Amino acid sequence: MTVIPFESAVQDERELSMSDFVANVDYIPLQTDSNCLVGNLWDNGVVRSSKYFFLAVGDNLLQYALDGKFIRVLGGIGGGPGEYNWISDIDVNDRSQRLFVGDIGKINVYDTETGDFICSYPTNDETFQFKVKNDSTLFRFLYNSTGKVATRVLISDAHGDTLRAYPRHDLFDVEEGMVFMIGSSDDRFMYRCGDDICYRENYNDTIFTVTEQELIPRYVFDLGKYHLPSDYRFELLGDDDKFNSLASSYLSIHPIEVADFVFIPYAYWAGKGKRENMMAIYDKRKNECYKVAGGALKNDMDGLFDFRPAIALDDYTLLKVVQASQVLRYAEKNPSVLENERLKNLQEDDNPVLMVVTLKQQP
């Protein structure tokens, strides 16, 4: 277990450039036509295999080539075989060419080459985020929407049988009528790093490595004075005004782990600071943590967008989703943006652009 001294680290601010970390940056406009309107894509609704991107957009599942060319819609809305009602999460296995799609009560499995539906794994409940090991063992995070969901991580097999259940100890009573927890597109409850499957909840300062035998503490973030007290949780207060007042001086972190670093985007839980996008970085090799000035890596490579990652596609690749309208607004002040061959024909209503950043591999 590694303790990351976050409270002291955010006092050590450094000007950092993309070239300090990045080997390559690419911009991939997603093809736009009536068959593949993406809309407001959440960053963590994207996974990548060696040949494709897969996008979960609410009730739509889209497949794109790595150059952004649209390939197909997978499945469809409904309750029949291969259909889904609401996509909670997606995962992909490159070796077996299988895509896994979370729905209420099941996880659908598709062939990534043909788009054909293969089968469904029963889950008997709503799986919010998940990862699949060896194509048949499901590591599932259960969303505590009522305050009384007693299991936080459930490991089950392809038949729906439970192999291991890890209990949740911070159960609570919610205000009458409340059936949700505070959350955002930055939430990453389950992720992979190398061969490990990892888990962390928004209110927990610890990242765990999940195995079928135990939860192993991996990183503890020492937030110190920035840690939100349990009594100030939104679900417990049940009041927006109280939460905005009491939680406005505490920080919410959203760690993104790759091979050599943990990128830590963060913001205040509430108040005006909630809109202030900040970031820290923990360097695994040097065992040091520091704040990034301006909340992003300065783009000294191609003169386009500064970079604040949203998710990791693999151990050396990070992603940021940029709406077409954002690109064009940026281009009003920086016309050179539209000189980029991939962006020059972009229109206001086009699908988003994927900013894909490949990190340097450290010796």
Side-chain angles (χ1 to χ4, degrees):
M1 183 179 66
T2 299
V3 177
I4 298 177
F6 184 86
E7 179 184 20
S8 59
V10 297
Q11 309 306 317
D12 177 12
E13 186 173 73
R14 305 183 187 182
E15 291 279 351
L16 299 170
S17 299
M18 285 177 60
S19 61
D20 298 328
F21 299 85
V22 174
N24 181 67
V25 58
D26 195 13
Y27 302 93
I28 305 171
L30 298 174
Q31 179 183 336
T32 306
D33 62 40
S34 58
N35 296 319
C36 55
L37 296 178
V38 173
N40 187 24
L41 173 66
W42 282 21
D43 306 83
N44 57 10
V46 182
V47 297
R48 186 186 68 172
S49 69
S50 60
K51 296 172 64 175
Y52 306 108
F53 287 104
F54 299 93
L55 281 58
V57 189
D59 56 4
N60 214 1
L61 183 61
L62 307 176
Q63 182 175 359
Y64 281 85
L66 296 185
D67 63 359
K69 181 180 178 181
F70 174 65
I71 295 177
R72 63 173 64 92
V73 175
L74 295 98
I77 300 300
E83 297 179 329
Y84 39 78
N85 292 291
W86 179 74
I87 301 171
S88 60
D89 197 12
I90 53 178
D91 192 19
V92 65
N93 186 327
D94 210 8
R95 291 187 295 273
S96 64
Q97 300 179 347
R98 290 192 169 194
L99 180 73
F100 304 89
V101 180
D103 190 16
I104 299 172
K106 63 182 178 181
I107 291 177
N108 286 345
V109 186
Y110 303 87
D111 187 298
T112 61
E113 290 299 314
T114 65
D116 292 340
F117 170 68
I118 298 173
C119 64
S120 289
Y121 299 156
T123 61
N124 303 317
D125 49 35
E126 181 178 342
T127 298
F128 194 71
Q129 289 187 13
F130 68 92
K131 290 290 177 271
V132 182
K133 180 180 179 180
N134 300 328
D135 282 354
S136 59
T137 305
L138 312 178
F139 287 63
R140 301 158 48 208
F141 167 71
L142 303 186
Y143 196 61
N144 190 16
S145 59
T146 64
K148 298 300 182 185
V149 178
T151 298
R152 49 179 169 171
V153 176
L154 185 69
I155 302 176
S156 59
D157 62 20
H159 304 291
D161 295 328
T162 297
L163 304 177
R164 185 65 189 264
Y166 291 105
R168 179 179 278 113
H169 302 290
D170 58 341
L171 302 180
F172 52 87
D173 295 318
V174 298
E175 292 292 319
E176 184 178 356
M178 289 188 64
V179 289
F180 62 90
M181 292 178 67
I182 192 169
S184 73
S185 61
D186 295 324
D187 293 340
R188 287 173 291 275
F189 303 111
M190 304 286 296
Y191 71 87
R192 279 194 182 85
C193 188
D195 294 329
D196 293 333
I197 294 176
C198 307
Y199 145 79
R200 174 187 172 269
E201 291 194 48
N202 281 344
Y203 293 128
N204 198 326
D205 294 345
T206 304
I207 293 177
F208 297 91
T209 303
V210 187
T211 73
E212 294 175 47
Q213 293 74 42
E214 60 183 330
L215 289 180
I216 305 169
R218 184 181 184 92
Y219 297 104
V220 173
F221 295 87
D222 181 7
L223 271 67
K225 66 180 182 181
Y226 298 114
H227 175 77
L228 181 74
S230 296
D231 292 346
Y232 291 179
R233 294 182 180 187
F234 176 72
E235 295 82 10
L236 292 177
L237 294 172
D239 184 292
D240 282 334
D241 292 335
K242 285 184 180 179
F243 182 72
N244 286 326
S245 173
L246 294 173
S248 60
S249 59
Y250 303 98
L251 294 174
S252 172
I253 63 173
H254 297 279
I256 304 167
E257 185 180 1
V258 289
D260 298 315
F261 302 96
V262 182
F263 291 84
I264 316 169
Y266 66 94
Y268 285 94
W269 277 102
K272 294 180 180 179
K274 187 176 181 179
R275 295 186 291 274
E276 184 179 355
N277 293 323
M278 298 172 282
M279 183 169 70
I281 294 176
Y282 172 69
D283 187 323
K284 296 183 183 181
R285 300 158 304 150
K286 298 179 180 178
N287 191 29
E288 61 176 359
C289 189
Y290 42 80
K291 179 180 180 179
V292 180
L297 300 176
K298 300 300 180 184
N299 192 338
D300 61 340
M301 299 184 66
D302 56 26
L304 299 185
F305 313 107
D306 293 341
F307 187 64
R308 183 176 186 263
I311 59 167
L313 295 173
D314 59 40
D315 286 352
Y316 290 97
T317 313
L318 296 163
L319 172 75
K320 176 181 179 180
V321 175
V322 186
Q323 298 297 323
S325 57
Q326 291 177 284
V327 176
L328 295 177
R329 283 198 300 272
Y330 187 83
E332 292 175 0
K333 297 180 180 179
N334 303 275
S336 62
V337 169
L338 299 183
E339 295 175 9
N340 183 289
E341 188 66 25
R342 305 294 299 274
L343 302 177
K344 64 181 182 180
N345 296 317
L346 201 65
Q347 302 296 313
E348 180 82 16
D349 295 328
D350 281 354
N351 279 336
V353 175
L354 304 183
M355 183 178 182
V356 179
V357 167
T358 305
L359 298 173
K360 295 177 180 178
Q361 297 196 24
Q362 305 298 322

